[in-house]
Amino acid sequence: MAPGTPRRTVPARILLCAVAMAASMASAWPGTATAAPQAQEVAERARRVAEQMALCPIKADPAGFDAGFVQPHAEVRWEATLRNTTAQDVRCVRAAPSCTCTSVDAVGKVIPANGTLKVPLSMKTSGATGEKTAVVVLQFEGVPGIVELSLKATVAYPVHAWQLNPGPDGKPRRDPFINAYDIKANVRGEVTAESLDGKPFRVLSVNGEPPVFVDPARAALPAESCAVRYDFSSLPCDRVPKYLVIETDRPDARLIDLRVRHECTKISPAFSFDGFRENLGVLRPGETREYAIAIKRANGVRIDRVTSLDPRIESRFLEQKAGSTDEVLVRYAITAKPDAAGVVIGSLRFAGVGPDPRQPVAPGQPAASMPRESDFIVYGKIEASAPAAAVPAAVPAAVPPRAQAPAPIQPLPVVMRIADAPSQVPMDPERFARARAAIDRGLAYLRSAQGPDGGWLEGKATKATDQKKASHAVPCAVTALGLKAFAQAGLAARGDRTAARAMQFVAGRTALESAFEPDPASGLGTYVASALLMALAAQQDDALAEPMSRVRAWIAQAQWTEANGRGTDSDWFGGFGYGNRGRPDLSNTQLVLDALHEAGVSTSDPAVQRALAFVARTQNVEENDSPWARAGSKDGGFVYTPANGGESFASEAAGEGRMGEHLPEGTRSLRSYGSMTYAGLKSMLFAGLTPNDPRVQAAWSWIRMHYGFAENPGLGLQGRFYYVHTAARALAAMNAERVEPVAVRPAGASPGAGDAAGARNWRNDLVDALVSEQRPDGSWKNPVDRWMEGEPEMASIYALLALEEALKPVSVAR
């Protein structure tokens, strides 16, 4: 059965019982004394649930859904149908998921008398394979009993492994584990890796060692299945592996595992982890990724540290979130050491405080704290580069030559919170403290400036570049950016009243919960949608997955592609403008790429790669054959747009005309400038290019020649706060701790830029520039009122986002 293939529905109580019994057997299989009481407990619970469901006049038909095989880290979605058998309307008052991986939209919904209601549910899977089940208990006002809904999926990679063993009936069966406990001879033996979809593959290693093939003659040939040998017979007890990890050459199944059942491999963690291991996948040296694991029956535990017991990887605790039941979700980061390589099979140690797990805390009583820790298995592969098959397809050939090369996937981390301590950021501790205090004052100002409806700049309108009429959606875009600024400082909408009001403001004015429309009356939609997607992502709230999906869908249709009349040879192709009704520009496009990056969209996504093609046409380089660039400076910087022959506000500021129309015939060119060059640099990185890519290096050279935060190079003070924010984002994405300004600048470069000799810590410089300009009320304001920066709310939000970017933890080394 192929991944994603649904299977028939199964009654919830049977699913719950089967999965719980399987889980208890998996953790306590060497001794049945533990399994039997747990099975009895599960059976008793199933009986009670069946009684309560029989009492309830609200019926689910069916009550469970089996999604079949799904990929790890997938999201299973199902829409349950509830039927009201009474003659009165009934409202749902409680929806309790069994885990933080599950979301449901039911509370407050009314089922009409003798009518039905569709209830959407979703369940996220982890990197661990095997059966995954979640249940949701629903209760309703004024009626007895409950409704229990269940979601089930079998998490599997396209390649899975099994061992042939005799079953209870004596017939051979395929076990998804090595059974060396019941069958002692299986201390050595063979296992088979097999493709679920029929596509061939090769086995590269087994537990990090060269594989021993059952049929060596076929070892080098890709095939749908491959049998390999193993031997644990000579290993001491503490070295018998708990999992056999098989590495393949398939990009979508690089690492798979089999549980090893042996008298030496029982797993009895002190915490009830939702699964026994995490597949880290393939990491590059120095790369950091974030993961999450649920701890069930947490009993009041608080996790403080997550440390690696393997010297090749580092781990760091990020945050802990409580679920709707006695469960917590722990987020942590893994970093591959810069000099590490090979397959890693190790453990993480989760440590914190909490009550004795054997003595549950009575309701209403404080949790007695004591040190607690537990180990959790992880495995992955550290390698310098991904296999060729994992590289996304090339950008269409009509783009400039440098954009034709495939963009390597560079999984930049998405960091949503500022650092807790200066040690996490490469900057002076004193400046860190000043910046943190400035952020607090700036947020306090925004609280005082918040409008009566929860927005900022309420009632304001502006006419965007080349738009015929003013847009009244300005407050939505600005408020969304303000919402992001609060969230990055740890003040998400779920726990902060100001942020909650801001969320209500933008949600209500964009119909976020239904038919999302960011700016129906005019053309500011792309700005609103992108800012809102970033604001939603910054909340780190699983309940916002559906609204984020709506915003992403709107953004997708706003891109200029063949579907709306722009082929790959068009200078509009891949870009974003003010909605899909105006010509595209780099300002809109870079904001979209920002939003897609923070929403976790892959760099290989077609929309991202199309946008990269547009960004490449905007760069002042030799390889760009756009008309405006042929006589240009080739300085590596960026202009506003290549569309319709090209435009640059820096050319306008220099008196040459925004399209260079005032230059002598035959010499028409466009000037690069600061905000767009940082926007172009950041966009290329967010689209998957590496810092060593020639296009990125060309932009970096321009930045070194024009380094500084006192002005927007090429425009002076026009758009200066937009510039500082964009620069901070780009420098952080570049993973640059320091910038070494170039002392000699080419003729015509903006004066006053790069005014310091030697390498500069850009975070220190940015903090110095912004903190010194903060006004007594905590706000910032640009004396040049271009692009609304004369409004303190607008300038202050840009300044806050820039400071927060400088204070985000540095988690990737390249």
Side-chain angles (χ1 to χ4, degrees):
M1 189 177 295
T5 304
R7 297 187 290 208
R8 64 182 180 87
T9 54
V10 182
R13 60 185 180 277
I14 297 177
L15 285 177
L16 183 65
C17 180
V19 173
M21 288 179 67
S24 65
M25 289 175 64
S27 61
W29 52 263
T32 57
T34 303
Q38 290 180 347
Q40 292 172 2
E41 180 182 340
V42 168
E44 176 59 24
R45 183 191 181 279
R47 183 188 64 78
R48 294 196 303 269
V49 168
E51 289 177 351
Q52 290 296 310
M53 291 181 70
L55 285 175
C56 188
I58 308 300
K59 304 299 181 183
D61 187 19
F65 174 69
D66 187 343
F69 287 104
V70 301
Q71 287 268 16
H73 299 294
E75 185 172 20
V76 177
R77 294 176 179 271
W78 175 50
E79 194 172 62
T81 300
L82 301 181
R83 180 167 50 87
N84 182 0
T85 63
T86 73
Q88 61 184 16
D89 294 352
V90 175
R91 184 169 65 93
C92 180
V93 295
R94 181 173 178 263
S98 63
C99 66
T100 54
C101 65
T102 306
S103 62
V104 59
D105 183 13
V107 174
K109 300 294 179 67
V110 174
I111 312 176
N114 296 310
T116 60
L117 173 69
K118 298 287 188 180
V119 175
L121 296 90
S122 66
M123 175 182 70
K124 292 182 178 179
T125 65
S126 68
T129 56
E131 287 191 353
K132 174 74 173 178
T133 298
V135 298
V136 176
V137 175
L138 304 178
Q139 289 181 296
F140 304 89
E141 187 174 38
V143 298
I146 64 170
V147 170
E148 184 173 272
L149 304 174
S150 70
L151 283 173
K152 177 185 175 183
T154 301
V155 182
Y157 289 94
V159 176
H160 72 146
W162 47 268
Q163 183 176 56
L164 197 64
N165 288 316
D169 58 359
K171 297 180 180 179
R173 69 178 184 188
R174 294 181 174 185
D175 288 331
F177 53 84
I178 294 173
N179 189 354
Y181 183 79
D182 298 311
I183 306 173
K184 304 300 183 185
N186 277 348
V187 71
R188 65 167 66 90
E190 63 184 60
V191 298
T192 300
E194 184 177 51
S195 171
L196 283 171
D197 55 13
K199 295 181 180 178
F201 65 94
R202 292 183 302 121
V203 171
L204 303 181
S205 71
V206 177
N207 275 21
E209 300 293 334
V212 179
F213 295 99
V214 172
D215 184 358
R218 298 180 58 193
L221 300 175
E224 296 179 15
S225 66
C226 179
V228 295
R229 301 188 192 278
Y230 67 90
D231 188 350
F232 309 140
S233 60
S234 61
L235 296 179
C237 191
D238 61 350
R239 292 188 56 197
V240 177
K242 294 178 172 61
Y243 286 91
L244 195 71
V245 177
I246 299 174
E247 179 190 4
T248 83
D249 65 349
R250 278 194 57 161
D252 52 0
R254 290 298 309 279
L255 298 166
I256 60 175
D257 66 55
L258 273 84
R259 177 76 168 97
V260 177
R261 293 185 175 181
H262 185 275
E263 61 185 4
C264 298
T265 62
K266 180 181 177 182
I267 302 175
S268 300
F271 297 146
S272 297
F273 293 116
D274 185 18
F276 298 115
R277 80 284 194 198
E278 175 70 51
N279 185 342
L280 304 178
V282 178
L283 296 92
R284 301 185 187 206
E287 179 185 352
T288 296
R289 289 187 191 167
E290 295 183 5
Y291 303 88
I293 183 67
I295 299 178
K296 297 178 177 294
R297 298 182 294 281
N299 195 26
V301 72
R302 186 193 77 225
I303 300 297
D304 295 322
R305 298 182 309 282
V306 180
T307 55
S308 171
L309 303 186
D310 190 298
R312 291 169 292 176
I313 58 175
E314 294 179 343
S315 59
R316 179 166 53 87
F317 169 73
L318 297 177
E319 69 171 352
Q320 173 177 313
K321 295 198 302 184
S324 57
T325 58
D326 185 17
E327 175 186 284
V328 295
L329 186 72
V330 179
R331 291 180 56 250
Y332 59 95
I334 295 287
T335 300
K337 293 288 187 66
D339 57 349
V343 173
V344 174
I345 305 174
S347 296
L348 305 181
R349 179 155 294 168
F350 287 68
V353 295
D356 187 333
R358 296 161 297 184
Q359 298 178 4
V361 179
Q365 297 298 314
S369 294
M370 60 180 293
R372 291 179 61 185
E373 62 182 30
S374 184
D375 293 349
F376 178 69
I377 299 170
V378 295
Y379 64 84
K381 174 73 180 293
I382 303 174
E383 65 180 17
S385 60
V391 177
V395 177
V399 304
R402 275 185 178 171
Q404 290 179 17
I409 296 176
Q410 180 196 204
L412 287 168
V414 180
V415 184
M416 296 292 194
R417 297 290 183 268
I418 61 177
D420 297 320
S423 59
Q424 298 174 296
V425 186
M427 64 188 302
D428 295 347
E430 183 271 336
R431 283 187 174 93
F432 180 92
R434 289 171 56 206
R436 192 64 183 88
I439 290 172
D440 291 342
R441 291 196 301 273
L443 295 175
Y445 163 75
L446 288 182
R447 292 187 192 278
S448 68
Q450 191 173 32
D453 293 333
W456 287 285
L457 294 182
E458 289 183 10
K460 294 287 184 178
T462 191
K463 190 170 71 171
T465 304
D466 287 349
Q467 296 296 292
K468 294 182 179 180
K469 59 181 180 179
S471 170
H472 291 271
V474 169
C476 286
V478 175
T479 301
L481 292 175
L483 188 57
K484 181 189 178 191
F486 272 85
Q488 291 186 157
L491 302 168
R494 276 189 178 270
D496 183 87
R497 185 173 183 274
T498 300
R501 294 182 64 225
M503 179 70 79
Q504 292 172 354
F505 180 88
V506 293
R509 283 159 178 76
T510 59
L512 182 59
E513 297 300 327
S514 54
F516 174 71
E517 177 51 64
D519 188 9
S522 51
L524 206 64
T526 303
Y527 265 96
V528 174
S530 301
L532 183 53
L533 185 56
M534 286 190 283
L536 296 174
Q539 305 304 309
Q540 296 184 315
D541 187 344
D542 292 342
L544 297 176
E546 187 62 32
M548 288 177 64
S549 177
R550 293 190 189 98
V551 179
R552 276 191 58 191
W554 189 95
I555 289 175
Q557 59 81 37
Q559 187 175 34
W560 286 103
T561 67
E562 299 98 325
N564 45 28
R566 301 290 172 168
T568 57
D569 59 343
S570 168
D571 55 14
W572 291 41
F573 177 78
F576 292 83
Y578 293 99
N580 59 0
R581 296 169 291 282
R583 62 99 183 89
D585 58 73
L586 181 54
S587 183
N588 276 287
T589 303
Q590 65 100 12
L591 198 62
V592 167
L593 287 171
D594 263 19
L596 296 180
H597 168 70
E598 296 204 343
V601 176
S602 169
T603 58
S604 62
D605 186 275
V608 174
Q609 290 303 299
R610 287 193 293 265
L612 176 60
F614 178 82
V615 171
R617 285 195 176 94
T618 316
Q619 191 172 19
N620 232 329
V621 289
E622 183 72 36
E623 291 79 3
N624 191 348
D625 61 356
S626 298
W628 64 267
R630 291 170 189 162
S633 63
K634 314 297 191 296
D635 59 9
F638 285 75
V639 303
Y640 180 64
T641 182
N644 298 341
E647 301 173 38
S648 169
F649 287 107
S651 295
E652 180 183 61
E656 298 168 352
R658 203 165 93 193
M659 294 175 285
E661 66 270 23
H662 301 322
L663 290 171
E665 187 175 352
T667 65
R668 178 180 174 270
S669 62
L670 295 175
R671 290 177 179 258
S672 308
Y673 61 106
S675 51
M676 287 303 98
T677 299
Y678 275 113
L681 171 67
K682 171 168 56 67
S683 296
M684 292 189 296
L685 294 170
F686 285 169
L689 301 189
T690 67
N692 293 327
D693 187 278
R695 291 159 284 186
V696 176
Q697 284 298 306
W700 188 247
S701 295
W702 191 97
I703 286 166
R704 292 180 59 208
M705 291 180 182
H706 301 82
Y707 173 75
F709 300 109
E711 66 172 25
N712 183 356
L715 292 185
L717 291 179
Q718 295 182 55
R720 187 256 181 148
F721 285 99
Y722 174 103
Y723 160 76
V724 173
H725 170 229
T726 308
R729 291 275 288 165
L731 291 167
M734 191 71 175
N735 198 36
E737 180 178 338
R738 295 180 179 274
V739 179
E740 188 169 356
V742 176
V744 179
R745 294 181 295 278
S750 176
D755 54 358
R760 304 288 302 175
N761 183 316
W762 69 265
R763 290 177 172 86
N764 288 346
D765 290 346
L766 183 145
V767 169
D768 288 346
L770 290 179
V771 171
S772 65
E773 298 171 16
Q774 191 172 26
R775 304 199 304 174
D777 65 354
S779 69
W780 286 264
K781 182 178 180 179
N782 193 334
V784 176
D785 190 13
R786 185 79 186 268
W787 298 304
M788 298 193 77
E789 290 194 6
E791 300 284 350
E793 294 96 322
M794 183 80 265
S796 297
I797 288 172
Y798 280 144
L800 285 168
L801 291 172
L803 286 170
E804 289 175 347
E805 206 64 40
L807 264 60
K808 287 182 178 179
V810 174
S811 55
V812 173
R814 298 191 186 90

